[in-house]
Amino acid sequence: MMALTPACEGTLRAFPADTMAMSAACPVVAFEGEYAAGFADPALSHDRSRLSLSLSGVMTVATDGANYVLPPHRAIWIPARERHRVACREGGRLLTLYIEPHLGWQPERCRVFAASPLVRALSEEVALFGMEYRSEGREGAIVRLLMEEIGRMSCLPTRIEIPRDVRLRRICEAIVADPADPRGVKEWAGIAGMGRRTFTRLFRKQTGAGFAAWRREVRLIEATSRLISGQSITCIAYDVGYESPSAFSSMFKRTLGMTPAEYRNHRLASPR
């Protein structure tokens, strides 16, 4: 397997530019490496589609239109030429496959899904091919099966719509960075330089949700990623902006139909 070597600061080197120009004779290349806590990649895009599987740690991926959360045992598909930024909240390992965009059926939009044991095993096997992969024989059959399994995976609720309006975008990015921020619509509207009604109307138009519902979704996604990574329910409740663990648990069960503890046990026991 080809591995990227962490730099002195503990961050991961970018995908080598020369390999992005490889011929179709090597349609899949995989890299595994460790990201240090606080790692943040600049915005970039690739000529190949990207499949990244979080082996440990919690990653965030931001595109021009949405933010995605990637807890352990989750994978994200990023289509070719989609601009994106990767950040790591805590130290973790990431297995990334770069796939020629014309290889089999591929999702046209970013999607996050629970990586089944089969998807994980196939991805790890493909990583062993290095840059010697050919489309014929066993290797080709494994890659085709992996692509088929990716198409069968159901998306998870880890997408947060980001407005196009620059003023609203800055506010949304601030809330994603700190879901516990208690400021309400009136205060955020003032920061955006808008009246409350204008802010509310534009926010709903560009995100498809009211401000309160959108922020609740941000908090929920943040909470689910932390639950899967093993953090305590009490700490999560306060860190995402709830006044008590009971208030957090009530919202969680009302929204997802199960308690935070039940959700964690269910996801860890059934990654698919």
Side-chain angles (χ1 to χ4, degrees), residues 66-80:
N67 283 23
Y68 301 85
V69 179
L70 195 65
H73 307 306
R74 300 301 184 263
I76 184 168
W77 175 271
I78 304 174

Side-chain angles (χ1 to χ4, degrees), residues 65-272:
N67 283 23
Y68 301 85
V69 179
L70 195 65
H73 307 306
R74 300 301 184 263
I76 184 168
W77 175 271
I78 304 174
R81 293 173 288 281
E82 178 84 35
R83 281 177 56 83
H84 58 280
R85 301 178 300 279
V86 178
C88 188
R89 303 178 184 181
E90 56 190 55
R93 293 169 54 231
L94 195 67
L95 173 61
T96 298
L97 281 65
Y98 293 89
I99 304 168
E100 281 288 350
H102 303 300
L103 181 66
W105 176 87
Q106 299 187 17
E108 297 180 355
R109 300 179 61 184
C110 290
R111 59 187 301 186
V112 173
F113 55 89
S116 67
L118 179 56
V119 167
R120 295 201 301 273
L122 290 171
S123 298
E124 291 172 354
E125 186 67 20
V126 170
L128 297 176
F129 298 165
M131 294 175 61
E132 302 300 323
Y133 166 74
R134 294 294 183 272
S135 59
E136 299 82 13
R138 174 179 176 273
E139 289 85 357
I142 289 174
V143 170
R144 287 191 293 274
L145 179 57
L146 173 60
M147 299 298 293
E148 182 177 339
E149 287 299 305
I150 291 170
R152 295 179 60 243
M153 296 292 97
S154 299
C155 294
L156 296 174
T158 55
R159 174 186 171 94
I160 303 170
E161 295 288 344
I162 301 296
R164 297 182 303 278
D165 184 272
V166 175
R167 297 164 297 177
L168 296 183
R169 175 182 286 270
R170 284 198 296 263
I171 287 169
C172 288
E173 289 175 347
I175 294 172
V176 169
D178 181 14
D181 192 309
R183 285 176 286 188
V185 172
K186 183 177 180 179
E187 293 166 290
W188 285 118
I191 292 171
M194 302 179 186
R196 178 172 180 149
R197 293 183 63 181
T198 300
F199 176 90
T200 301
R201 182 173 61 251
L202 186 60
F203 194 95
R204 181 178 292 277
K205 180 179 180 180
Q206 296 206 356
T207 66
F211 176 79
W214 183 91
R215 181 166 62 181
R216 183 168 58 249
E217 188 68 15
V218 170
R219 290 175 171 178
L220 183 64
I221 289 174
E222 177 74 11
T224 56
S225 69
R226 291 185 180 221
L227 283 167
I228 294 171
S229 67
Q231 297 182 31
S232 77
I233 294 172
T234 297
C235 289
I236 293 171
Y238 292 121
D239 286 348
V240 300
Y242 286 86
E243 295 182 354
S244 67
S246 60
F248 166 67
S249 296
S250 176
M251 176 283 300
F252 199 98
K253 186 170 185 178
R254 186 170 60 250
T255 305
L256 295 183
M258 63 182 76
T259 66
E262 290 170 341
Y263 176 89
R264 175 160 52 200
N265 294 337
H266 173 73
R267 286 301 187 187
L268 293 179
S270 306
R272 185 157 190 170

